[in-house]
Amino acid sequence: MPELKIYWFPVSQPARALKAFCLAIDAPHEERIVKMFEGEHKTEEIKALYQPAQIPFMTWDGKVLGQTTAMLRFLSQNFDAGKSYYPEDLWTRGQID
């Protein structure tokens, strides 16, 4: 299984959605809480990983993905438990989107 790491901040609703989804689908992951109120998302370390420096974002085997909707869709397709949240049927996906 590829390595999943999420960078999130608990106060952010989109970040909480990402964390909750990882837990709901039992996605093994490592997490890094980024202290946004302290400006940690603007550090060179974070910018080197994800240039927009927006939280949340994730890495999947070292590849970076941002935007919560994109991350949730990606995870739903890579874990069997996620397929019930974002089904394979394109018509149903269209209704969700």
Side-chain angles (χ1 to χ4, degrees), residues 21-36:
F21 192 66
C22 286
L23 294 173
I25 64 172
D26 294 320
H29 64 282
E30 186 179 328
E31 67 178 63
R32 163 85 190 286
I33 295 176
V34 179
K35 300 171 187 163
M36 291 184 68

Side-chain angles (χ1 to χ4, degrees), residues 68-92:
T68 307
T69 303
M71 291 183 283
L72 295 175
R73 287 179 182 156
F74 177 83
L75 292 171
S76 73
Q77 295 305 296
N78 281 282
F79 292 91
D80 288 336
K83 289 182 173 54
S84 65
Y85 292 94
Y86 196 63
E88 293 184 23
D89 175 65
L90 295 177
W91 180 257
T92 306

Side-chain angles (χ1 to χ4, degrees), residues 2-10 12 14-25 27-35 45-46 49-50 54-66 68 71-72 74-75 79:
E3 181 181 301
L4 170 63
K5 186 170 184 178
I6 64 169
Y7 294 78
W8 73 299
F9 184 59
S12 162
R16 289 193 313 269
L18 175 62
K19 176 65 176 174
F21 192 66
C22 286
L23 294 173
I25 64 172
H29 64 282
E30 186 179 328
E31 67 178 63
R32 163 85 190 286
I33 295 176
V34 179
K35 300 171 187 163
E45 173 194 2
I46 298 298
L49 287 169
Y50 185 54
Q54 297 171 335
I55 303 300
F57 68 95
M58 63 177 248
T59 59
W60 178 266
D61 270 353
K63 293 181 250 179
V64 179
L65 186 60
T68 307
M71 291 183 283
L72 295 175
F74 177 83
L75 292 171
F79 292 91

